[in-house]
Amino acid sequence: MAQIARYLAGLCLAAVVHVLGLRLSSGFFSIVDPFLILTVVHSLRHGPAWSAVGGSVAGLTEDALTGGLYGLFGFANTLVAYVSAQVQGRFVVQQPLQVALLCALAAALQVVTLSLLQFAMVAHGELPSAAATAAKMVTTGLAGSGLWMLTNRVRASISRRRLERSRRLRIDL
């Protein structure tokens, strides 16, 4: 239950960042995708099934906020979450540089998936520019790595507090 609450809190935060970013600049969304960052970081902590569910929920939320074809981001983020969880299961992805690389590759996978889906569903689908794709990969890698380090520090802090509380509560007879 706590995992679901943490995920929903992250989803709400991603939605707020998305809306505030669009208020600042209309091009914000093409470079920074907070739902993708949430999807990848979430998939690094969970298995493929729960990651796919989380990616689907994040993608459908993103679809609802962007107003495009409903389901494009849902499918793309589900695929990204599943692949990220499989990579985490096969390799040990724990260092910030590894997380940044995985986030950047996840951004590339999302762009390719969205482009293929748009060409399949829309008569005049547009490819994103190479510069926008590179910028999205860099920002996703940096933000994903930063979020990974932040969540690790918060988890370590919580663990230290629990350990200190258990030491204080110990009764010596």
Side-chain angles (χ1 to χ4, degrees):
M1 197 62 155
Q3 290 177 351
I4 294 172
R6 281 194 304 265
Y7 179 77
L8 290 176
L11 189 63
C12 290
L13 182 63
V16 167
V17 168
H18 177 81
V19 169
L20 291 177
L22 286 178
R23 293 240 175 188
L24 294 174
S25 168
S26 61
F28 176 82
F29 178 67
S30 63
I31 296 173
V32 178
D33 188 353
F35 295 102
L36 177 63
I37 297 164
L38 171 70
T39 299
V40 174
V41 171
H42 172 75
S43 68
L44 291 175
R45 300 229 187 259
H46 302 284
W50 176 234
S51 296
V53 170
S56 178
V57 169
L60 292 174
T61 304
E62 187 171 3
D63 282 327
L65 290 175
T66 56
L69 286 174
Y70 196 70
L72 288 179
F73 284 101
F75 182 80
N77 283 3
T78 302
L79 180 65
V80 165
Y82 182 77
V83 169
S84 298
Q86 288 293 340
V87 167
Q88 171 63 16
R90 304 275 190 264
F91 305 105
V92 179
V93 180
Q94 294 179 341
Q95 299 300 319
L97 184 59
Q98 296 168 335
V99 174
L101 180 62
L102 181 63
C103 288
L105 293 175
L109 177 62
Q110 184 196 41
V111 167
V112 167
T113 304
L114 289 173
S115 297
L116 290 174
L117 287 173
Q118 282 184 349
F119 274 114
M121 296 179 164
V122 179
H124 303 290
E126 295 181 18
L127 280 176
S129 69
T133 302
K136 186 172 188 172
M137 290 174 67
V138 168
T139 58
T140 303
L142 291 174
S145 179
L147 182 61
W148 177 260
M149 290 187 297
L150 179 67
T151 57
N152 282 343
R153 286 191 178 152
V154 168
R155 285 174 180 259
S157 173
I158 290 170
S159 294
R160 269 192 307 261
R161 280 192 214 132
R162 284 184 183 159
L163 184 62
E164 289 172 5
R165 285 179 58 201
S166 68
R167 288 181 184 162
R168 281 187 261 157
L169 295 175
R170 186 174 44 190
I171 299 173
D172 296 325
L173 298 176

